[in-house]
Amino acid sequence: MSPATLDINTQIPCVQGMFGERLLTYTTQIKPKHIPHVLGHDPRGKNWKRLPDDLYSIYKKIQRSTSPGRRDSLTAYLEQRLVSRNMIAAFPAISIGLTEPTEFKPFSEDPAVGVLLVHDRGVRMVLDGLGRITACLDLREESPQGAELVDSIVFPVTFYVPPPGTPPLSVTDLGQLFVDFNFRVHRVPANVNLALDQADIYVSLANELSKESFIKDFGGMEVRAASLGKKSTALVVQSVLVRAVRGATEGRDFQESNLASAQNPNLTDATFKSELHSIVEFFIEIQTRMGEKWGARKDLHLSAPGWQALGVIRHDMTHRGLELTPSERTQIYDTIAGMNWSRSNRDWADKAHLGVWAKPKNADTEQVVILGAGRNNTQAIIDFLRVETGLQKQLEELRPAQSVIQNHPVVQNHTSTSGPL
């Protein structure tokens, strides 16, 4: 039988529910490879032009073709979670809309549990989950390993169907459900998302760092909070530490958004342990030299821009090609640890241009008062640290050599990975 048609009833065990008088719902479980059979067509965007004109126009009107990036991120999710890291993984339910009423045969012992008979009439289309379906069907076709992985999962599926004896649903009705499912949602606050997200590799590294002595012994890490409150005894909040990790592994540009992705990341499943060890070593070197001053919560090294700046300095030392000698590394650690990080150090205003020198409200003495955007504050501390440690000069000396490499005929068409100073 052609996958584009259904000549007989497809019988699907389901549990019946309802949403008011105009919709019945049926929930079930379906393997990805069976979705085209249930729909009567392959819903992937690459197949839309092969569909009947009416169905093509419906998909074109109310659906979104899955971009390669979206598909790749979903397949990577399955491969990383279920194979590389052996973690739990799941997709939300797939939603399928049917325009025509559909017969349901309940089991005698429970009228809400029975078999849904999907007929070859009306429109059956994906309302939510097209990206998930596309990713799984594409991955299944790529290799035997991909097929084995996809066949190890089952989609939870919900059908939305008009009740028997009522008018069919229109394409506009299905379009409204699509809008409801995809746009009438409230985003989870970023700090809550980070607290719950165990899959993001940068969050995972930050969580591992929080167990180390330079954080654990000085108050630990606070999750779910966007910033440290006045009564908090924690050393850092999770969201700030994640930004520090992103800067420490991938550099300054990668720090500005938790949604950014690196083309050739330094932090991968294969490098996780080595990156963790190296970042721990960096902070321990500084904390050991600072002693109890490390835990001074009001000082700038423990501010949000301070943590992020230190992360970028670690990236400079490790991933910019400087090839620092042990004595040069020691000098950098000594300089950072020996700095006066208190807000009463006028260099933060006069040399670092971090803010203005003024007397804050309810304060007895003048100090640097930080103003402006967080991005600018972080960059000001980075620039100051680079000058004070000598990294600025070394990075500038590295640039001509990198320029020569970039202009070599073999690599002139490639983009430099050195990143901005």
Side-chain angles (χ1 to χ4, degrees):
M1 180 179 66
S2 168
T5 62
L6 279 173
D7 297 325
I8 60 174
N9 294 334
T10 298
Q11 301 186 23
I12 304 172
C14 287
V15 176
Q16 186 185 68
M18 68 187 70
F19 262 86
E21 297 180 354
R22 291 285 289 123
L23 274 182
L24 291 177
T25 61
Y26 297 93
T27 58
T28 189
Q29 305 284 327
I30 302 175
K31 280 186 172 290
K33 65 181 180 181
H34 293 149
I35 290 293
H37 178 76
V38 171
L39 289 170
H41 62 270
D42 189 324
R44 288 177 284 181
K46 65 182 181 181
N47 297 317
W48 286 359
K49 291 185 177 180
R50 303 174 188 171
L51 298 175
D53 291 343
D54 57 345
L55 190 54
Y56 171 74
S57 64
I58 293 171
Y59 270 113
K60 197 72 175 173
K61 181 179 180 181
I62 71 171
Q63 260 290 5
R64 298 169 293 185
S65 182
T66 305
S67 67
R70 168 68 171 159
R71 180 199 62 212
D72 291 346
S73 68
L74 288 166
T75 56
Y77 169 80
L78 290 177
E79 291 171 335
Q80 290 174 359
R81 294 294 293 276
L82 298 179
V83 180
S84 299
R85 300 190 209 170
N86 193 27
M87 297 173 63
I88 62 170
F91 285 148
I94 304 297
S95 297
I96 296 176
L98 282 70
T99 57
E100 296 288 336
T102 303
E103 184 179 1
F104 178 72
K105 293 184 176 181
F107 298 142
S108 58
E109 61 269 21
D110 190 335
V113 180
V115 174
L116 182 68
L117 303 179
V118 179
H119 301 283
D120 184 21
R121 63 172 183 263
V123 172
R124 303 179 302 283
M125 68 169 296
V126 180
L127 298 177
D128 190 49
L130 181 60
R132 285 159 255 161
I133 295 171
T134 299
C136 287
L137 294 181
D138 283 358
L139 181 58
R140 196 171 184 277
E141 293 174 355
E142 286 179 4
S143 67
Q145 293 78 15
E148 182 179 2
L149 174 58
V150 173
D151 288 345
S152 72
I153 70 175
V154 179
F155 286 145
V157 177
T158 300
F159 293 93
Y160 294 84
V161 184
T166 65
L169 296 175
S170 67
V171 172
T172 301
D173 291 329
L174 295 183
Q176 182 61 61
L177 289 180
F178 171 80
V179 171
D180 291 347
F181 296 165
N182 288 276
F183 300 105
R184 289 185 178 274
V185 295
H186 292 280
R187 294 180 63 86
V188 176
N191 53 295
V192 176
N193 180 66
L194 287 177
L196 298 175
D197 191 355
Q198 301 177 62
D200 187 295
I201 196 169
Y202 302 96
V203 176
S204 296
L205 184 53
N207 290 340
E208 289 300 312
L209 282 180
S210 71
K211 302 173 186 177
E212 298 294 332
S213 61
F214 72 93
I215 294 179
K216 182 180 64 175
D217 294 350
F218 290 84
M221 179 182 75
E222 188 168 301
V223 299
R224 294 181 181 267
S227 60
L228 293 177
K230 292 183 178 179
K231 296 182 179 181
S232 176
T233 59
L235 191 75
V236 63
V237 295
Q238 185 186 45
S239 58
V240 170
L241 189 58
V242 170
R243 290 292 179 93
V245 164
R246 292 174 71 89
T249 53
E250 316 300 350
R252 178 71 180 118
D253 287 346
F254 194 68
Q255 215 168 34
E256 289 304 301
S257 171
N258 290 331
L259 299 178
S261 59
Q263 188 172 13
N264 296 296
N266 295 308
L267 180 61
T268 65
D269 289 330
T271 65
F272 188 92
K273 289 184 179 179
S274 61
E275 286 289 305
L276 172 62
H277 175 78
S278 177
I279 296 173
V280 169
E281 181 181 50
F282 171 82
F283 280 105
I284 288 291
E285 291 284 356
I286 296 172
Q287 178 260 308
T288 301
R289 286 168 169 77
M290 291 184 69
E292 291 301 315
K293 291 183 179 179
W294 169 255
R297 289 177 174 80
K298 293 184 179 181
D299 284 0
L300 290 172
H301 67 290
L302 296 182
S303 65
W307 274 105
Q308 294 180 69
L310 288 175
V312 173
I313 295 302
R314 184 269 170 183
H315 180 266
D316 288 347
M317 295 174 65
T318 308
H319 293 304
R320 297 291 295 274
L322 292 179
E323 298 182 359
L324 300 170
T325 65
S327 61
E328 287 173 328
R329 289 180 173 275
T330 297
Q331 182 270 325
I332 293 171
Y333 292 136
D334 288 342
T335 300
I336 294 174
M339 291 172 57
N340 180 356
W341 286 91
S342 71
R343 297 170 189 263
S344 60
N345 177 10
R346 188 155 187 163
D347 284 349
W348 292 115
D350 296 345
K351 293 183 178 181
H353 308 293
L354 182 60
V356 298
W357 191 252
K359 183 184 293 185
K361 185 179 180 179
N362 300 325
D364 297 327
T365 60
E366 292 179 314
Q367 63 183 47
V368 63
V369 178
I370 300 177
L371 304 171
R375 173 181 172 81
N376 295 336
N377 297 332
T378 299
Q379 192 62 52
I381 298 178
I382 291 170
D383 293 342
F384 186 58
L385 290 179
R386 283 173 171 166
V387 171
E388 294 296 303
T389 60
L391 281 169
Q392 181 72 24
K393 181 179 179 181
Q394 291 174 290
L395 290 169
E396 289 174 349
E397 290 173 349
L398 191 65
R399 269 187 158 181
Q402 291 174 336
S403 178
V404 170
I405 294 173
Q406 286 303 111
N407 292 323
H408 191 280
V410 176
V411 295
Q412 63 184 7
N413 292 325
H414 294 267
T415 302
S416 171
T417 57
S418 62
L421 287 175

